[in-house]
Amino acid sequence: MSESERDALIKQNPAYGEIVCRCEEVSKGEILDALDSPLPVYTLDAIKRRCRPGMGRCQGGFCQPYVAELIAKERGVTLDKVTKCGGESYLLQGVTTVSYTHLTLPT
């Protein structure tokens, strides 16, 4: 994708300008598209396979909490209901009060 095509896409939808995974350069827009696709994905591993956040050098150490929060928000559930690979592979256990929405991701 050329720089001008990327700029046009960001102007159309600013979520594409917000980088969630710096290692693989995955934008918030790409993750939201995967969550809203005809074959939606609702686990961290499924998002990882679909658009690659967490596949880079840090293996999700920096982006995984934000991706989990995006999944929770799109599904309308709390963070403790988000799973790594489905079933009962929950990331968190119990009630959490921590929210990662206060993080400012570098662009």
Side-chain angles (χ1 to χ4, degrees):
M1 177 181 298
S2 73
E3 195 170 319
S4 61
E5 291 173 326
R6 184 178 300 192
D7 288 344
L9 187 60
I10 291 169
K11 284 179 185 173
Q12 183 182 8
N13 183 351
Y16 285 103
E18 186 177 336
I19 299 297
V20 172
C21 176
R22 292 178 287 172
C23 300
E24 293 293 316
E25 297 182 3
V26 178
S27 71
K28 179 179 178 180
E30 292 171 274
I31 294 169
L32 293 176
D33 283 349
L35 291 168
D36 194 36
S37 71
L39 291 171
V41 290
Y42 290 124
T43 67
L44 279 174
D45 282 355
I47 291 286
K48 187 176 182 177
R49 286 189 295 274
R50 183 74 59 93
C51 50
R52 299 188 56 82
M55 300 262 278
R57 175 178 247 175
C58 80
Q59 292 294 295
F62 292 102
C63 64
Q64 184 178 14
Y66 191 58
V67 172
E69 186 153 315
L70 288 173
I71 293 170
K73 185 177 178 182
E74 287 298 306
R75 288 184 62 202
V77 299
T78 56
L79 269 174
D80 62 324
K81 301 294 183 218
V82 176
T83 63
K84 181 179 181 328
C85 58
E88 295 195 20
S89 63
Y90 299 109
L91 299 174
L92 304 171
Q93 187 165 1
V95 178
T96 61
T97 57
V98 176
S99 174
Y100 294 97
T101 55
H102 69 281
L103 293 177
T104 303
L105 297 173
T107 54

